[in-house]
Amino acid sequence: MISDDLYREIILEHYAHPRCKGKLEAPTFRQDGVNPTCGDAVTVELDVKDNRVVRAAFEGVGCSISLASASMLTSLIEGKTLDEVRELAATFKKRMLNRNDAEPCPEQLGELEALDGVRQYPVRVKCALLAWNTLLGALEEAL
Amino acid sequence: MSVKVELSRRSDFPLLENQPELVYLDSAATSLKPRSVLEAERSYYEECCANIHRGLYRMSEEATRRYEEARHSVARLIGASDPDCCIWTSGTTDAINLVAYTWGEQNILPGDPIVLTGLEHHSNLVPWQNLATRQQARLRWIEPRPDGTLELDNLDELLEGARLVAFTWVSNVFGSISPVQEICRRARAAGATVLLDAAQGVPHLPCAVEEMGCDFMAFSGHKMLGPTGTGMLWSRRELLEAMPPFRFGGDMIREVWRDRCTFNELPFKFEAGTPNIAGVLGMGAAADYLLDVGMANVRAHELDLLTYARECLGSLEGFELLGPPLDQHSGALSFVYRGIHPHDLATLLDRENICIRAGHHCCQPLMRRIGMSGTARASLSLYNIRADIDRLAVALEKASQVFKGVLF
């Protein structure tokens, strides 16, 4: 495994060994997302209790960037309140759409910082955001 | 074609001169343009920028002459004896929509079967899907095999009662060449009208449209070395004369009163409004360029490249070609490589200055049928050379290093 600005080790690690991959038995929320330009598809499932994500899972087909991002997403949001999840998603989306290298990555994003390199590949930003847009779709139902 | 000739042809393409390091393997999406095409567009704007079919001054006459000469050039390229049966459109999609909205509205009745193949690009599927909804018609499918060839054993059954058969000459995904004459013959024997999507055929194969047996043929300028926003519909005179106009306005009329009008003759009946004149002149120049090279030479050169590519890439560990036998192969090489997602491959190859296409190639139903979300596709044209294939092979092996220990 060699690693570079885009294919960072953490990304390849999540891609090779995705966390939270699979289905939940009776998810509170379930949302399908597709990237129409490439055909990649992801399903995000959430168990929510008292406004807090107890468990998250994803399934899907896609490139290393979209699946690693989905894996990071599901592992990061477990235990967070829905408001915290929305805030994290908003911060991550804003970061992905910001190509200014001078600004440091917000600390709140934790290991999502590994996806920073994707910003230099505009067509791949959609890959990194697929799971997150799907998550936000699921949370719209929660409003 | 010898290597010497190939190299001299490469110098006809300014983009390759400007970017000598670039390996362009996405000609099935759009082709590069030779200098003569760019010159035809430029000289229209700089030398005779007048509207056509209107002006009574010499510059307008010159623009009209060039415009109609371009029609003759493309007619020659496709083997059409009557240029009046060659309608300018903005592309293949536009040409197919023209047929769907005119001939289709007149001839497809509730319950009528429309036969398509599972290989179709969205442009030769969605217009028919939409027509079927409007007219309560039904779609039937000629199924593709996993190598992109068509299953014709049950064709006669599918053709029973069919009003229209619309199919692609060459698959934009697999590069598989359809048995055009056989399908046309059997379809017309069954009483069906046939539309051929020739977008991937005309740029690569010799074409004798009147001998192929189809009733309509649609193709694009921008895939055959011409400008974007250009294309053509060819049909038989009796069909075109019986069809109502598609778009209404200037140039397509003969006489207009406040409450009615009469329509112009062919081909102008289908060419409302000021057309893409510069684009048409460019498409004419592209046809002249291809006629000058000779389509048999284009095919021979591409067969040589395909043979080499199948050998060279086929010897890479984990490379799998998705495509037909060589004699039925043209233009596009779809492949999977070591389980690496096509998008990851496209990004890694781009770093090596190699342009390929990755994804569903505007063929989502086909991808579902073959059980894939997408493929990587390298597609060829007459300006490609063996060295391009060598570069691709090296770059694939380099790309695989990123995923070593991850996927294999």
Side-chain angles (χ1 to χ4, degrees):
Chain A
M1 191 190 297
I2 56 157
S3 177
D4 59 32
D5 65 326
L6 178 64
Y7 296 105
R8 303 257 297 267
E9 226 171 291
I10 284 196
I11 293 177
L12 295 172
E13 224 284 308
H14 272 274
Y15 182 45
H17 308 286
R19 328 287 194 269
C20 311
K21 192 157 191 272
K23 277 174 165 324
L24 301 180
E25 222 159 78
T28 325
F29 301 109
R30 179 174 199 281
Q31 183 78 28
D32 297 324
V34 290
N35 183 345
T37 53
C38 65
D40 285 359
V42 69
T43 300
V44 174
E45 295 185 336
L46 306 174
D47 270 343
V48 176
K49 241 184 222 148
D50 301 327
N51 228 30
R52 198 175 280 278
V53 176
V54 185
R55 281 196 68 195
F58 83 97
E59 275 194 319
V61 287
C63 63
S64 59
I65 303 298
S66 73
L67 294 186
S69 182
S71 170
M72 289 183 193
L73 174 151
T74 43
S75 58
L76 274 173
I77 65 171
E78 280 188 359
K80 288 193 162 48
T81 68
L82 295 189
D83 280 344
E84 286 167 344
V85 171
R86 281 194 194 95
E87 202 196 314
L88 180 68
T91 310
F92 179 63
K93 277 185 78 168
K94 196 172 158 207
R95 180 66 183 169
M96 280 293 106
L97 299 171
N98 175 2
R99 292 184 73 184
N100 182 356
D101 256 346
E103 282 175 39
C105 188
E107 229 170 85
Q108 183 200 358
L109 292 180
E111 71 173 0
L112 287 170
E113 188 267 335
L115 288 162
D116 242 25
V118 180
R119 298 178 304 142
Q120 304 312 318
Y121 300 80
V123 290
R124 306 298 300 275
V125 166
K126 277 187 203 151
C127 308
L129 290 180
L130 175 60
W132 294 84
N133 285 327
T134 308
L135 169 75
L136 289 172
L139 291 182
E140 263 174 37
E141 289 176 47
L143 283 171
Chain B
M1 211 187 280
S2 71
V3 171
K4 211 171 161 188
V5 176
E6 288 167 22
L7 291 173
S8 74
R9 286 291 171 192
R10 277 170 78 81
S11 64
D12 292 343
F13 292 82
L15 189 139
L16 293 175
E17 288 210 313
N18 296 336
Q19 300 187 58
E21 285 308 304
L22 191 77
V23 174
Y24 187 72
L25 294 170
D26 199 17
S27 296
T30 198
S31 64
L32 305 180
K33 322 303 175 197
R35 195 169 280 107
S36 61
V37 167
L38 307 176
E39 177 59 24
E41 290 196 282
R42 189 199 58 77
S43 73
Y44 165 68
Y45 287 122
E46 290 187 3
E47 291 164 17
C48 67
C49 183
N51 213 326
I52 51 164
H53 303 144
R54 289 171 179 75
L56 297 172
Y57 47 91
R58 278 165 298 160
M59 196 165 73
S60 170
E61 275 171 20
E62 172 62 12
T64 305
R65 188 190 65 75
R66 291 188 190 186
Y67 187 80
E68 294 307 323
E69 205 172 77
R71 197 191 306 273
H72 278 76
S73 293
V74 182
R76 261 200 308 283
L77 178 70
I78 63 170
S81 56
D82 185 354
D84 291 351
C85 294
C86 297
I87 315 292
W88 295 119
T89 67
S90 72
T92 307
T93 300
D94 188 37
I96 293 173
N97 275 281
L98 190 163
V99 178
Y101 275 96
T102 57
W103 181 91
E105 299 264 334
Q106 273 189 332
N107 292 279
I108 301 290
L109 301 172
D112 278 351
I114 298 172
V115 178
L116 307 174
T117 84
L119 291 175
E120 299 316 307
H121 188 283
H122 295 160
S123 63
N124 196 29
L125 160 55
V126 180
W128 306 121
Q129 209 174 54
N130 191 257
L131 177 69
T133 306
R134 294 199 305 276
Q135 308 291 90
Q136 282 111 49
R138 292 173 295 156
L139 299 181
R140 284 183 189 160
W141 299 93
I142 300 172
E143 294 297 349
R145 302 191 190 98
D147 65 354
T149 57
L150 293 168
E151 180 55 71
L152 297 183
D153 284 352
N154 61 340
L155 181 60
D156 292 329
E157 213 174 293
L158 292 170
L159 288 172
E160 252 182 54
R163 294 288 297 158
L164 173 72
V165 179
F167 71 102
T168 188
W169 182 357
V170 176
S171 160
N172 68 309
V173 174
F174 298 109
S176 45
I177 303 171
S178 304
V180 174
Q181 279 174 319
E182 183 190 349
I183 296 175
C184 290
R185 181 175 46 77
R186 289 169 70 178
R188 296 184 82 207
T193 297
V194 183
L195 179 139
L196 185 66
D197 173 353
Q200 303 287 350
V202 169
H204 302 282
L205 302 167
C207 178
V209 68
E210 289 165 7
E211 287 159 32
M212 292 168 99
C214 60
D215 300 287
F216 295 105
M217 186 171 88
F219 57 104
S220 295
H222 75 97
K223 292 189 201 288
M224 49 161 272
L225 315 181
T228 55
T230 61
M232 188 170 272
L233 173 71
W234 171 89
S235 185
R236 301 178 189 285
R237 181 173 277 276
E238 63 275 18
L239 274 170
L240 290 170
E241 282 181 343
M243 281 154 57
F246 178 35
R247 295 197 178 92
F248 298 82
D251 224 26
M252 54 77 68
I253 42 79
R254 191 188 303 277
E255 272 193 288
V256 182
W257 294 267
R258 282 198 164 181
D259 59 347
R260 67 190 190 283
C261 67
T262 54
F263 302 131
N264 206 338
E265 60 191 11
L266 292 176
F268 314 115
K269 176 173 121 180
F270 293 103
E271 296 178 0
T274 296
N276 178 5
I277 301 170
V280 158
L281 302 189
M283 186 167 167
D288 289 339
Y289 186 91
L290 289 170
L291 284 163
D292 182 44
V293 177
M295 290 309 294
N297 291 330
V298 171
R299 173 62 177 159
H301 174 63
E302 286 187 10
L303 261 182
D304 175 67
L305 278 182
L306 281 170
T307 308
Y308 183 69
R310 290 167 67 120
E311 266 170 36
C312 172
L313 302 171
S315 68
L316 298 177
E317 194 185 341
F319 181 94
E320 190 195 341
L321 176 75
L322 309 165
L326 180 65
D327 62 333
Q328 297 167 58
H329 199 178
S330 164
L333 290 135
S334 256
F335 61 90
V336 291
Y337 178 62
R338 306 203 85 169
I340 304 172
H341 191 277
H343 279 191
D344 289 320
L345 271 183
T347 296
L348 290 165
L349 294 178
D350 181 37
R351 287 182 185 176
E352 306 298 318
N353 263 320
I354 299 174
C355 309
I356 65 155
R357 175 82 187 265
H360 56 59
H361 316 295
C362 298
C363 288
Q364 290 177 7
L366 173 61
M367 290 298 134
R368 274 180 217 115
R369 172 83 191 171
I370 62 173
M372 302 181 79
S373 66
T375 71
R377 183 190 71 186
S379 54
L380 305 168
S381 186
L382 53 89
Y383 38 72
N384 289 115
I385 50 175
R386 286 186 174 204
D388 292 340
I389 306 297
D390 294 335
R391 288 265 307 275
L392 175 62
V394 170
L396 281 172
E397 288 200 306
K398 188 170 172 192
S400 76
Q401 293 305 308
V402 173
F403 290 96
K404 204 172 173 182
V406 179
L407 293 169
F408 46 87

